[in-house]
Coordinates of all heavy atoms in Angstrom, one line a residue:
A455 N -91.0 18.0 -46.7 CA -92.3 17.4 -46.9 C -92.2 16.1 -47.8 O -92.8 15.1 -47.4 CB -93.2 18.4 -47.5
Y456 N -91.6 16.3 -48.9 CA -91.5 15.2 -49.9 C -90.8 14.0 -49.4 O -91.1 12.8 -49.7 CB -90.9 15.7 -51.2 CG -91.0 14.8 -52.4 CD1 -92.1 15.0 -53.3 CD2 -90.1 13.8 -52.6 CE1 -92.2 14.1 -54.4 CE2 -90.2 13.0 -53.7 CZ -91.2 13.2 -54.6 OH -91.3 12.3 -55.7
V457 N -89.8 14.2 -48.6 CA -88.9 13.1 -48.1 C -89.4 12.5 -46.8 O -89.5 11.2 -46.7 CB -87.4 13.5 -48.0 CG1 -86.6 12.5 -47.3 CG2 -86.9 13.9 -49.3
C458 N -89.7 13.3 -45.8 CA -90.0 12.8 -44.5 C -91.3 12.0 -44.4 O -91.4 11.0 -43.7 CB -90.1 13.9 -43.5 SG -88.5 14.7 -43.1
K459 N -92.4 12.4 -45.1 CA -93.6 11.7 -45.1 C -93.5 10.3 -45.6 O -93.9 9.4 -44.9 CB -94.7 12.5 -45.9 CG -96.1 12.0 -45.8 CD -96.7 12.3 -44.5 CE -98.2 11.9 -44.5 NZ -98.8 12.2 -43.1
P460 N -93.0 10.1 -46.8 CA -92.9 8.7 -47.3 C -91.9 7.8 -46.5 O -91.9 6.6 -46.6 CB -92.6 8.8 -48.7 CG -92.0 10.1 -48.9 CD -92.7 11.0 -47.9
S461 N -90.9 8.5 -45.9 CA -89.9 7.7 -45.2 C -90.4 6.9 -44.1 O -89.9 5.8 -43.8 CB -88.8 8.7 -44.7 OG -88.0 9.2 -45.8
V462 N -91.5 7.4 -43.4 CA -92.1 6.7 -42.3 C -92.7 5.4 -42.9 O -92.5 4.3 -42.3 CB -93.2 7.5 -41.6 CG1 -93.9 6.7 -40.5 CG2 -92.6 8.8 -41.0
A463 N -93.4 5.4 -44.0 CA -94.0 4.2 -44.6 C -92.9 3.3 -45.1 O -93.0 2.1 -44.9 CB -94.9 4.6 -45.7
L464 N -91.8 3.8 -45.6 CA -90.7 3.0 -46.1 C -90.1 2.3 -44.9 O -89.7 1.1 -45.0 CB -89.7 3.8 -46.8 CG -89.9 4.2 -48.3 CD1 -88.9 5.1 -48.8 CD2 -89.9 2.9 -49.2
L465 N -89.9 3.0 -43.8 CA -89.2 2.3 -42.7 C -90.1 1.3 -42.1 O -89.7 0.2 -41.6 CB -88.8 3.4 -41.7 CG -87.8 2.9 -40.6 CD1 -86.5 2.4 -41.3 CD2 -87.5 4.1 -39.7
F466 N -91.4 1.5 -42.1 CA -92.4 0.5 -41.7 C -92.2 -0.8 -42.5 O -92.2 -1.9 -42.0 CB -93.8 1.0 -41.7 CG -94.8 -0.1 -41.3 CD1 -95.1 -0.2 -39.9 CD2 -95.4 -0.9 -42.2 CE1 -96.0 -1.2 -39.5 CE2 -96.3 -1.9 -41.8 CZ -96.6 -2.0 -40.5
S467 N -92.1 -0.6 -43.8 CA -91.9 -1.7 -44.7 C -90.6 -2.5 -44.4 O -90.5 -3.7 -44.6 CB -91.9 -1.3 -46.2 OG -93.2 -0.7 -46.5
C468 N -89.5 -1.7 -44.1 CA -88.3 -2.4 -43.7 C -88.5 -3.2 -42.4 O -88.0 -4.4 -42.3 CB -87.2 -1.3 -43.4 SG -86.7 -0.4 -44.8
M469 N -89.3 -2.7 -41.5 CA -89.6 -3.4 -40.3 C -90.4 -4.7 -40.6 O -90.2 -5.8 -40.1 CB -90.4 -2.5 -39.3 CG -90.7 -3.2 -38.0 SD -91.3 -1.9 -36.8 CE -92.9 -1.4 -37.5
E470 N -91.4 -4.5 -41.5 CA -92.2 -5.6 -41.9 C -91.4 -6.7 -42.6 O -91.7 -7.9 -42.5 CB -93.3 -5.1 -42.8 CG -94.3 -6.2 -43.3 CD -95.3 -5.6 -44.3 OE1 -95.0 -4.6 -44.9 OE2 -96.3 -6.3 -44.5
S471 N -90.4 -6.3 -43.3 CA -89.6 -7.3 -44.1 C -88.9 -8.3 -43.2 O -88.4 -9.4 -43.7 CB -88.6 -6.6 -45.0 OG -87.5 -6.1 -44.2
L472 N -88.8 -8.0 -41.9 CA -88.2 -9.0 -41.0 C -89.2 -9.8 -40.2 O -88.9 -10.6 -39.4 CB -87.3 -8.2 -39.9 CG -85.9 -7.9 -40.3 CD1 -85.8 -6.9 -41.4 CD2 -85.1 -7.4 -39.0
G473 N -90.5 -9.6 -40.6 CA -91.6 -10.3 -39.9 C -91.6 -9.8 -38.4 O -91.4 -8.7 -38.1
G474 N -92.0 -10.8 -37.6 CA -92.2 -10.4 -36.1 C -90.9 -9.9 -35.5 O -91.0 -9.1 -34.6
V475 N -89.8 -10.4 -36.0 CA -88.5 -10.0 -35.4 C -88.3 -8.5 -35.6 O -87.8 -7.8 -34.7 CB -87.3 -10.7 -36.0 CG1 -86.0 -10.2 -35.6 CG2 -87.4 -12.2 -35.6
G476 N -88.8 -8.0 -36.7 CA -88.7 -6.5 -36.9 C -89.5 -5.7 -36.0 O -89.1 -4.5 -35.7
Y477 N -90.6 -6.2 -35.4 CA -91.4 -5.4 -34.5 C -90.9 -5.4 -33.1 O -91.2 -4.6 -32.3 CB -92.8 -6.1 -34.5 CG -93.9 -5.3 -33.7 CD1 -94.3 -4.0 -34.2 CD2 -94.4 -5.7 -32.6 CE1 -95.2 -3.3 -33.5 CE2 -95.4 -5.0 -31.9 CZ -95.8 -3.8 -32.4 OH -96.7 -3.0 -31.7
L478 N -89.9 -6.3 -32.8 CA -89.3 -6.3 -31.5 C -88.3 -5.2 -31.3 O -87.6 -4.8 -32.2 CB -88.6 -7.7 -31.3 CG -89.5 -8.9 -31.4 CD1 -88.6 -10.2 -31.2 CD2 -90.6 -8.9 -30.3
L479 N -88.2 -4.8 -30.0 CA -87.1 -3.8 -29.7 C -85.9 -4.6 -29.3 O -85.7 -5.0 -28.2 CB -87.6 -2.9 -28.5 CG -88.7 -2.0 -28.8 CD1 -89.2 -1.3 -27.5 CD2 -88.3 -0.9 -29.8
N480 N -85.1 -4.9 -30.4 CA -84.0 -5.8 -30.3 C -82.8 -5.2 -29.6 O -81.7 -5.1 -30.2 CB -83.7 -6.4 -31.7 CG -84.8 -7.2 -32.3 OD1 -85.1 -8.2 -31.8 ND2 -85.4 -6.6 -33.4

Side-chain angles (χ1 to χ4, degrees):
Y456 190 93
V457 172
C458 290
K459 186 75 172 179
S461 289
V462 176
L464 278 173
L465 198 54
F466 180 86
S467 295
C468 292
M469 183 169 66
E470 183 187 16
S471 73
L472 274 67
V475 171
Y477 188 67
L478 300 177
L479 292 172
N480 295 295

